Amino acid sequence: MTSSLSQPLTLPGGTVLSNRIVKAAMSEGLADADNQSTPRLETLYRRWATSGAGLLLSGNLQVDAAHLERAANVVLDDECDISALRRLAAAGKSGGAQFWAQLSHTGRQVVAAINPEPLAPSTVEIDVVRGAGYSFAPPRQMTVREIEHAIRQFACSAAKAKEAGFDGVEIHGAHGYLISQFLSPLTNLRGDRWGGHLRNRARFLLSVIRSVRDAVGPQYPIGLKLNSSDFQRGAFTHADCLEVVRMLNDTSLDLLELSGGSLEQPKVVGVALKDQGIDGPRATTSKREAYFIEFAREVRLAAKMPLMVTGGFRTRAGMEDALNTGELDLIGLGRPFIADPACACGLLTGETQMIPSPEADLHLFHLLGWFNMQLIRLGDGLDPDLSIDGPTAAARFAKLELGMMNALLARRTATGADS
Ligand SMILES: Cc1cc2nc3c(=O)[nH]c(=O)nc-3n(C[C@H](O)[C@H](O)[C@H](O)COP(=O)(O)O)c2cc1C
Protein backbone atom coordinates (compact mmCIF):
# COMPACT_ATOMS: atom_id res chain seq x y z
CA MET A 1 0.00 0.00 0.00
CA THR A 2 1.28 3.51 -0.84
CA SER A 3 2.36 5.45 2.25
CA SER A 4 0.33 8.52 3.19
CA LEU A 5 3.71 10.30 3.24
CA SER A 6 3.96 9.87 -0.54
CA GLN A 7 0.61 11.44 -1.38
CA PRO A 8 0.78 14.74 -3.28
CA LEU A 9 -0.99 17.76 -1.82
CA THR A 10 -2.61 20.58 -3.80
CA LEU A 11 -2.53 23.92 -1.99
CA PRO A 12 -5.44 26.39 -2.23
CA GLY A 13 -3.63 28.51 -4.86
CA GLY A 14 -3.09 25.43 -7.07
CA THR A 15 0.55 24.65 -6.20
CA VAL A 16 1.16 20.91 -5.92
CA LEU A 17 3.58 19.47 -3.35
CA SER A 18 4.84 16.07 -4.48
CA ASN A 19 4.66 14.50 -1.01
CA ARG A 20 3.91 15.27 2.64
CA ILE A 21 7.43 15.81 3.99
CA VAL A 22 8.71 19.36 4.48
CA LYS A 23 12.19 20.45 5.48
CA ALA A 24 11.42 23.05 8.16
CA ALA A 25 13.15 26.43 8.31
CA MET A 26 16.55 26.39 10.02
CA SER A 27 18.67 29.53 10.26
CA GLU A 28 21.90 28.68 8.42
CA GLY A 29 24.21 31.56 9.38
CA LEU A 30 26.05 31.11 6.06
CA ALA A 31 25.58 34.53 4.45
CA ASP A 32 28.58 36.69 3.60
CA ALA A 33 29.71 39.83 5.42
CA ASP A 34 27.16 41.88 3.44
CA ASN A 35 24.32 39.52 4.40
CA GLN A 36 24.03 38.13 0.87
CA SER A 37 23.65 34.54 -0.20
CA THR A 38 26.83 32.52 -0.77
CA PRO A 39 28.09 29.42 -2.65
CA ARG A 40 28.04 27.62 0.73
CA LEU A 41 24.29 28.20 1.00
CA GLU A 42 23.88 26.97 -2.58
CA THR A 43 25.83 23.80 -1.77
CA LEU A 44 23.67 23.20 1.31
CA TYR A 45 20.41 23.63 -0.59
CA ARG A 46 21.62 21.58 -3.57
CA ARG A 47 22.14 18.78 -1.05
CA TRP A 48 18.67 19.22 0.47
CA ALA A 49 17.21 19.43 -3.05
CA THR A 50 17.85 15.68 -3.31
CA SER A 51 16.55 14.95 0.19
CA GLY A 52 13.20 13.67 -1.06
CA ALA A 53 11.18 16.44 0.68
CA GLY A 54 8.30 17.87 -1.37
CA LEU A 55 8.90 21.34 0.08
CA LEU A 56 12.05 23.03 1.40
CA LEU A 57 11.70 26.09 3.62
CA SER A 58 14.74 28.36 3.85
CA GLY A 59 16.08 29.47 7.21
CA ASN A 60 14.74 32.82 8.37
CA LEU A 61 15.72 35.50 5.85
CA GLN A 62 15.56 38.96 7.38
CA VAL A 63 13.34 41.73 6.09
CA ASP A 64 15.45 44.45 7.74
CA ALA A 65 19.26 44.60 7.71
CA ALA A 66 19.17 46.63 10.93
CA HIS A 67 17.25 43.88 12.72
CA LEU A 68 19.21 40.71 12.19
CA GLU A 69 18.80 37.57 14.26
CA ARG A 70 22.51 36.78 13.83
CA ALA A 71 25.45 38.28 11.97
CA ALA A 72 25.35 35.91 8.99
CA ASN A 73 21.64 36.07 8.12
CA VAL A 74 20.63 36.63 4.52
CA VAL A 75 18.75 39.92 4.14
CA LEU A 76 16.05 40.38 1.49
CA ASP A 77 15.72 44.11 1.06
CA ASP A 78 15.86 46.68 -1.72
CA GLU A 79 19.63 46.42 -1.87
CA CYS A 80 19.96 42.63 -1.88
CA ASP A 81 22.03 40.85 -4.52
CA ILE A 82 19.31 39.39 -6.69
CA SER A 83 21.71 37.26 -8.77
CA ALA A 84 23.06 35.57 -5.63
CA LEU A 85 19.47 34.93 -4.52
CA ARG A 86 18.61 33.53 -7.95
CA ARG A 87 21.48 31.06 -7.64
CA LEU A 88 20.24 30.06 -4.17
CA ALA A 89 16.66 29.59 -5.37
CA ALA A 90 17.86 27.53 -8.34
CA ALA A 91 19.98 25.33 -6.03
CA GLY A 92 17.01 24.59 -3.77
CA LYS A 93 14.77 23.80 -6.73
CA SER A 94 17.32 21.68 -8.59
CA GLY A 95 15.83 18.38 -7.38
CA GLY A 96 12.24 19.25 -8.28
CA ALA A 97 11.01 20.19 -4.79
CA GLN A 98 9.26 23.46 -4.04
CA PHE A 99 11.58 25.96 -2.34
CA TRP A 100 10.05 28.78 -0.26
CA ALA A 101 11.77 31.67 1.51
CA GLN A 102 10.98 32.20 5.19
CA LEU A 103 10.65 35.90 6.04
CA SER A 104 11.29 37.23 9.52
CA HIS A 105 11.81 40.35 11.61
CA THR A 106 13.64 39.65 14.85
CA GLY A 107 12.18 42.40 17.03
CA ARG A 108 13.53 42.23 20.59
CA GLN A 109 14.75 38.61 20.44
CA VAL A 110 18.37 39.28 19.56
CA VAL A 111 21.60 39.47 21.53
CA ALA A 112 22.91 42.99 22.29
CA ALA A 113 26.12 42.38 20.34
CA ILE A 114 24.06 41.97 17.14
CA ASN A 115 21.50 44.65 17.89
CA PRO A 116 21.99 47.04 20.81
CA GLU A 117 18.75 48.90 19.88
CA PRO A 118 16.08 46.34 19.05
CA LEU A 119 12.51 47.34 18.25
CA ALA A 120 9.46 45.70 19.77
CA PRO A 121 5.74 46.38 20.24
CA SER A 122 6.51 47.53 23.82
CA THR A 123 9.52 48.02 26.06
CA VAL A 124 9.40 44.58 27.63
CA GLU A 125 12.84 43.07 28.13
CA ILE A 126 13.49 39.48 27.21
CA ASP A 127 13.81 37.12 30.17
CA VAL A 128 16.01 34.22 29.10
CA VAL A 129 18.03 31.76 31.08
CA ARG A 130 21.42 33.46 31.31
CA GLY A 131 23.41 30.24 31.48
CA ALA A 132 24.07 30.35 27.75
CA GLY A 133 26.15 33.49 28.35
CA TYR A 134 24.41 36.04 26.10
CA SER A 135 23.07 39.45 27.03
CA PHE A 136 20.09 41.25 25.47
CA ALA A 137 19.42 44.97 25.13
CA PRO A 138 16.09 46.42 26.27
CA PRO A 139 13.87 47.08 23.24
CA ARG A 140 12.44 50.41 22.18
CA GLN A 141 8.68 50.63 21.54
CA MET A 142 7.92 50.91 17.82
CA THR A 143 6.19 54.03 16.59
CA VAL A 144 3.18 53.63 14.31
CA ARG A 145 5.41 54.73 11.41
CA GLU A 146 7.90 51.98 12.27
CA ILE A 147 5.09 49.42 12.43
CA GLU A 148 3.85 50.46 8.99
CA HIS A 149 7.41 50.42 7.70
CA ALA A 150 7.97 46.87 8.97
CA ILE A 151 4.78 45.74 7.23
CA ARG A 152 6.06 47.20 3.96
CA GLN A 153 9.42 45.50 4.52
CA PHE A 154 7.74 42.06 4.64
CA ALA A 155 6.01 42.89 1.35
CA CYS A 156 9.26 44.11 -0.23
CA SER A 157 11.10 40.93 0.85
CA ALA A 158 8.32 38.73 -0.52
CA ALA A 159 8.52 40.54 -3.87
CA LYS A 160 12.31 39.99 -3.91
CA ALA A 161 11.87 36.29 -3.11
CA LYS A 162 9.43 35.95 -6.01
CA GLU A 163 11.73 37.88 -8.35
CA ALA A 164 14.63 35.61 -7.39
CA GLY A 165 12.65 32.49 -8.29
CA PHE A 166 11.57 31.12 -4.92
CA ASP A 167 8.31 29.19 -5.35
CA GLY A 168 6.64 30.78 -2.32
CA VAL A 169 7.20 32.51 1.01
CA GLU A 170 6.55 31.59 4.60
CA ILE A 171 5.96 34.42 7.08
CA HIS A 172 7.61 33.69 10.45
CA GLY A 173 4.93 34.44 13.02
CA ALA A 174 6.22 32.06 15.71
CA HIS A 175 9.02 31.55 18.24
CA GLY A 176 9.03 34.97 19.90
CA TYR A 177 10.09 37.05 16.88
CA LEU A 178 8.40 40.34 16.00
CA ILE A 179 5.01 39.04 14.80
CA SER A 180 4.86 36.71 17.77
CA GLN A 181 5.76 39.65 20.07
CA PHE A 182 2.75 41.55 18.73
CA LEU A 183 0.48 38.55 19.35
CA SER A 184 1.52 38.04 22.98
CA PRO A 185 -0.09 40.13 25.75
CA LEU A 186 3.12 39.64 27.71
CA THR A 187 5.23 41.54 25.16
CA ASN A 188 2.56 43.75 23.60
CA LEU A 189 1.33 46.28 26.18
CA ARG A 190 0.24 48.90 23.63
CA GLY A 191 -2.86 50.95 24.21
CA ASP A 192 -3.38 51.84 20.53
CA ARG A 193 -4.97 49.83 17.71
CA TRP A 194 -1.88 47.54 17.57
CA GLY A 195 -2.32 46.26 21.13
CA GLY A 196 -4.94 45.34 23.71
CA HIS A 197 -7.49 42.71 22.75
CA LEU A 198 -6.52 39.87 20.44
CA ARG A 199 -8.00 41.39 17.26
CA ASN A 200 -5.68 44.38 17.80
CA ARG A 201 -2.66 42.24 18.68
CA ALA A 202 -3.26 40.24 15.49
CA ARG A 203 -3.51 43.40 13.37
CA PHE A 204 0.24 43.41 12.63
CA LEU A 205 0.16 39.77 11.45
CA LEU A 206 -2.97 40.28 9.34
CA SER A 207 -1.55 43.47 7.83
CA VAL A 208 1.69 41.68 6.95
CA ILE A 209 -0.22 38.86 5.21
CA ARG A 210 -2.35 41.37 3.29
CA SER A 211 0.63 43.43 2.13
CA VAL A 212 2.61 40.34 1.18
CA ARG A 213 -0.36 39.10 -0.85
CA ASP A 214 -0.63 42.46 -2.60
CA ALA A 215 3.08 42.28 -3.41
CA VAL A 216 3.15 38.75 -4.86
CA GLY A 217 -0.24 38.43 -6.57
CA PRO A 218 -3.13 36.02 -6.09
CA GLN A 219 -1.56 32.67 -7.06
CA TYR A 220 1.80 32.80 -5.29
CA PRO A 221 1.94 30.52 -2.23
CA ILE A 222 2.09 32.18 1.19
CA GLY A 223 2.58 30.15 4.36
CA LEU A 224 2.65 31.19 8.00
CA LYS A 225 4.47 29.64 10.96
CA LEU A 226 2.43 30.22 14.12
CA ASN A 227 2.76 29.11 17.71
CA SER A 228 0.14 26.65 18.93
CA SER A 229 0.87 28.43 22.24
CA ASP A 230 3.80 30.37 23.71
CA PHE A 231 3.60 27.93 26.64
CA GLN A 232 4.30 30.76 29.04
CA ARG A 233 2.17 32.23 31.81
CA GLY A 234 0.38 35.36 30.61
CA ALA A 235 1.53 35.04 26.98
CA PHE A 236 -0.18 33.88 23.73
CA THR A 237 -2.32 30.87 24.61
CA HIS A 238 -3.76 28.01 22.62
CA ALA A 239 -7.19 29.66 22.89
CA ASP A 240 -5.62 32.78 21.30
CA CYS A 241 -4.11 30.60 18.61
CA LEU A 242 -7.51 29.10 17.72
CA GLU A 243 -9.03 32.57 17.56
CA VAL A 244 -6.21 33.82 15.29
CA VAL A 245 -6.64 30.77 13.04
CA ARG A 246 -10.31 31.73 12.56
CA MET A 247 -9.13 35.22 11.55
CA LEU A 248 -6.63 33.63 9.14
CA ASN A 249 -9.46 31.79 7.40
CA ASP A 250 -10.48 35.12 5.88
CA THR A 251 -7.00 35.68 4.41
CA SER A 252 -5.45 33.96 1.41
CA LEU A 253 -2.97 31.74 3.24
CA ASP A 254 -1.93 28.53 1.47
CA LEU A 255 -0.36 26.82 4.43
CA LEU A 256 -0.32 27.07 8.21
CA GLU A 257 2.64 25.57 10.08
CA LEU A 258 2.22 24.96 13.80
CA SER A 259 5.07 25.20 16.27
CA GLY A 260 5.41 26.67 19.75
CA GLY A 261 7.55 28.51 22.31
CA SER A 262 10.31 31.11 22.03
CA LEU A 263 13.86 31.74 23.16
CA GLU A 264 12.49 32.26 26.68
CA GLN A 265 10.62 28.97 26.55
CA PRO A 266 12.25 26.68 23.95
CA LYS A 267 9.29 24.36 23.39
CA VAL A 268 10.17 24.59 19.70
CA VAL A 269 12.79 21.94 20.44
CA GLY A 270 10.66 20.20 23.06
CA VAL A 271 12.12 21.86 26.16
CA ALA A 272 10.35 23.92 28.87
CA LEU A 273 12.45 26.21 31.10
CA LYS A 274 9.59 28.10 32.76
CA ASP A 275 6.05 27.71 34.01
CA GLN A 276 4.06 26.69 30.91
CA GLY A 277 0.87 28.44 31.96
CA ILE A 278 -2.55 27.05 31.08
CA ASP A 279 -1.25 25.08 28.07
CA GLY A 280 1.17 23.05 30.18
CA PRO A 281 1.85 19.38 29.47
CA ARG A 282 -1.04 17.38 28.07
CA ALA A 283 -0.91 13.73 29.05
CA THR A 284 -1.74 12.51 25.55
CA THR A 285 0.93 14.66 23.90
CA SER A 286 3.66 13.39 26.15
CA LYS A 287 2.86 9.86 24.96
CA ARG A 288 3.35 10.86 21.32
CA GLU A 289 6.61 11.90 19.68
CA ALA A 290 5.46 15.17 18.05
CA TYR A 291 5.44 18.11 20.46
CA PHE A 292 2.33 19.95 19.23
CA ILE A 293 0.15 17.17 17.87
CA GLU A 294 -2.69 17.42 20.40
CA PHE A 295 -2.92 21.14 19.66
CA ALA A 296 -3.02 20.40 15.93
CA ARG A 297 -6.21 18.41 16.32
CA GLU A 298 -8.08 21.49 17.57
CA VAL A 299 -6.44 23.78 15.02
CA ARG A 300 -7.45 21.33 12.29
CA LEU A 301 -11.10 21.80 13.24
CA ALA A 302 -10.78 25.60 13.10
CA ALA A 303 -8.50 26.01 10.04
CA LYS A 304 -9.64 26.07 6.43
CA MET A 305 -6.11 25.98 4.97
CA PRO A 306 -3.72 22.97 4.88
CA LEU A 307 -1.94 22.33 8.16
CA MET A 308 1.68 21.37 8.78
CA VAL A 309 3.05 20.44 12.19
CA THR A 310 6.76 20.63 13.01
CA GLY A 311 8.67 19.41 16.04
CA GLY A 312 9.66 16.02 17.36
CA PHE A 313 8.55 13.69 14.56
CA ARG A 314 11.10 10.89 14.35
CA THR A 315 9.33 7.66 13.35
CA ARG A 316 7.68 6.79 10.06
CA ALA A 317 4.82 5.20 11.99
CA GLY A 318 4.27 8.38 14.04
CA MET A 319 4.17 10.50 10.87
CA GLU A 320 1.83 8.16 8.99
CA ASP A 321 -0.43 7.86 12.02
CA ALA A 322 -0.71 11.67 12.27
CA LEU A 323 -1.50 11.96 8.54
CA ASN A 324 -3.96 9.05 8.57
CA THR A 325 -5.96 10.42 11.48
CA GLY A 326 -6.42 13.65 9.49
CA GLU A 327 -4.89 15.81 12.25
CA LEU A 328 -2.61 17.47 9.72
CA ASP A 329 -1.60 17.51 6.05
CA LEU A 330 2.17 17.93 6.16
CA ILE A 331 4.98 16.75 8.41
CA GLY A 332 7.71 19.31 9.15
CA LEU A 333 11.16 18.00 10.02
CA GLY A 334 14.05 20.18 11.16
CA ARG A 335 17.06 18.63 12.86
CA PRO A 336 16.75 15.24 11.12
CA PHE A 337 17.53 16.99 7.80
CA ILE A 338 20.85 18.12 9.27
CA ALA A 339 21.81 14.78 10.78
CA ASP A 340 20.71 12.90 7.66
CA PRO A 341 20.26 15.25 4.69
CA ALA A 342 18.55 12.51 2.65
CA CYS A 343 16.19 11.41 5.40
CA ALA A 344 12.99 12.00 3.43
CA CYS A 345 14.00 9.51 0.69
CA GLY A 346 14.19 6.61 3.14
CA LEU A 347 10.92 7.60 4.80
CA LEU A 348 9.16 7.68 1.43
CA THR A 349 10.48 4.33 0.21
CA GLY A 350 9.90 2.70 3.58
CA GLU A 351 13.58 1.80 4.02
CA THR A 352 13.78 4.12 7.02
CA GLN A 353 11.49 3.55 9.98
CA MET A 354 13.27 5.92 12.36
CA ILE A 355 15.26 9.07 11.58
CA PRO A 356 18.20 10.26 13.68
CA SER A 357 17.70 12.33 16.82
CA PRO A 358 21.22 13.27 18.01
CA GLU A 359 19.65 15.98 20.20
CA ALA A 360 18.65 13.24 22.63
CA ASP A 361 22.32 13.01 23.74
CA LEU A 362 23.08 16.74 23.75
CA HIS A 363 22.79 19.33 26.52
CA LEU A 364 20.32 22.12 25.65
CA PHE A 365 23.11 24.73 25.62
CA HIS A 366 25.11 22.66 23.11
CA LEU A 367 22.23 22.01 20.70
CA LEU A 368 22.54 25.14 18.62
CA GLY A 369 26.32 24.85 18.29
CA TRP A 370 26.20 21.18 17.37
CA PHE A 371 23.59 21.57 14.64
CA ASN A 372 25.24 24.71 13.30
CA MET A 373 28.63 23.04 13.02
CA GLN A 374 26.93 20.33 10.97
CA LEU A 375 25.31 22.98 8.76
CA ILE A 376 28.77 24.41 8.09
CA ARG A 377 30.00 20.94 7.10
CA LEU A 378 27.06 20.54 4.71
CA GLY A 379 27.73 24.00 3.28
CA ASP A 380 31.33 22.88 2.65
CA GLY A 381 30.07 19.86 0.71
CA LEU A 382 30.89 17.40 3.52
CA ASP A 383 28.71 14.81 5.23
CA PRO A 384 27.53 15.49 8.78
CA ASP A 385 29.89 14.15 11.45
CA LEU A 386 27.70 12.69 14.16
CA SER A 387 30.75 11.90 16.31
CA ILE A 388 31.45 15.57 17.15
CA ASP A 389 30.73 16.03 20.86
CA GLY A 390 28.42 18.76 22.18
CA PRO A 391 30.90 20.85 24.21
CA THR A 392 33.46 20.92 21.37
CA ALA A 393 30.84 21.92 18.79
CA ALA A 394 29.38 24.57 21.10
CA ALA A 395 32.82 26.08 21.80
CA ARG A 396 33.74 26.18 18.08
CA PHE A 397 30.39 27.68 17.19
CA ALA A 398 30.62 30.36 19.90
CA LYS A 399 34.07 31.36 18.58
CA LEU A 400 32.83 31.59 14.99
CA GLU A 401 29.72 33.56 15.92
CA LEU A 402 31.79 35.92 18.07
CA GLY A 403 34.14 36.52 15.13
CA MET A 404 31.19 37.33 12.87
CA MET A 405 29.58 39.58 15.49
CA ASN A 406 32.84 41.52 15.92
CA ALA A 407 33.16 41.89 12.15
CA LEU A 408 29.58 43.19 12.00
CA LEU A 409 30.32 45.66 14.77
CA ALA A 410 33.48 46.84 13.00
CA ARG A 411 31.55 47.34 9.74
CA ARG A 412 28.86 49.32 11.55
CA THR A 413 31.44 51.49 13.27
CA ALA A 414 33.21 52.09 9.96
CA THR A 415 29.91 52.96 8.23
CA GLY A 416 29.02 55.27 11.11
CA ALA A 417 32.45 56.92 10.85
CA ASP A 418 32.03 57.38 7.07
CA SER A 419 28.65 59.00 7.30
C1 LIG B 1 19.70 25.13 14.11
C2 LIG B 1 18.24 25.46 14.07
C3 LIG B 1 17.83 26.64 13.47
C4 LIG B 1 16.46 26.95 13.40
N1 LIG B 1 16.08 28.08 12.74
C5 LIG B 1 14.75 28.32 12.51
C6 LIG B 1 14.34 29.37 11.65
O1 LIG B 1 15.14 30.10 11.07
N2 LIG B 1 13.00 29.55 11.49
C7 LIG B 1 12.07 28.74 12.09
O2 LIG B 1 10.88 28.94 11.89
N3 LIG B 1 12.44 27.72 12.89
C8 LIG B 1 13.75 27.48 13.09
N4 LIG B 1 14.13 26.38 13.82
C9 LIG B 1 13.10 25.48 14.34
C10 LIG B 1 12.80 24.35 13.35
O3 LIG B 1 12.18 24.83 12.17
C11 LIG B 1 11.86 23.31 13.98
O4 LIG B 1 10.65 23.95 14.31
C12 LIG B 1 12.47 22.66 15.23
O5 LIG B 1 13.81 22.25 14.98
C13 LIG B 1 11.65 21.44 15.68
O6 LIG B 1 11.61 20.46 14.67
P1 LIG B 1 12.51 19.12 14.77
O7 LIG B 1 12.16 18.47 16.09
O8 LIG B 1 12.09 18.30 13.59
O9 LIG B 1 13.93 19.55 14.73
C14 LIG B 1 15.50 26.07 13.95
C15 LIG B 1 15.93 24.90 14.58
C16 LIG B 1 17.27 24.58 14.64
C17 LIG B 1 17.68 23.30 15.29
Side-chain angles (χ1 to χ4, degrees), residues 24-27 59-60 102 170 172 175 225 257 259 268-269 291 310-314 332-336 338 368 371-372 375:
M26 286 182 288
S27 176
N60 57 181
Q102 189 188 57
E170 181 184 63
H172 197 349
H175 303 168
K225 192 164 186 172
E257 177 185 3
S259 185
V268 54
V269 289
Y291 311 141
T310 302
F313 279 110
R314 295 296 179 266
L333 301 173
R335 291 162 291 178
I338 296 180
L368 207 58
F371 281 101
N372 273 284
L375 282 171

Side-chain angles (χ1 to χ4, degrees), residues 323-345:
L323 287 169
N324 293 340
T325 52
E327 290 163 335
L328 48 87
D329 304 291
L330 291 165
I331 306 282
L333 301 173
R335 291 162 291 178
F337 272 99
I338 296 180
D340 175 4
C343 66
C345 292

Side-chain angles (χ1 to χ4, degrees), residues 46 49-50 90-97:
R46 217 171 288 115
T50 59
K93 289 160 62 160
S94 59

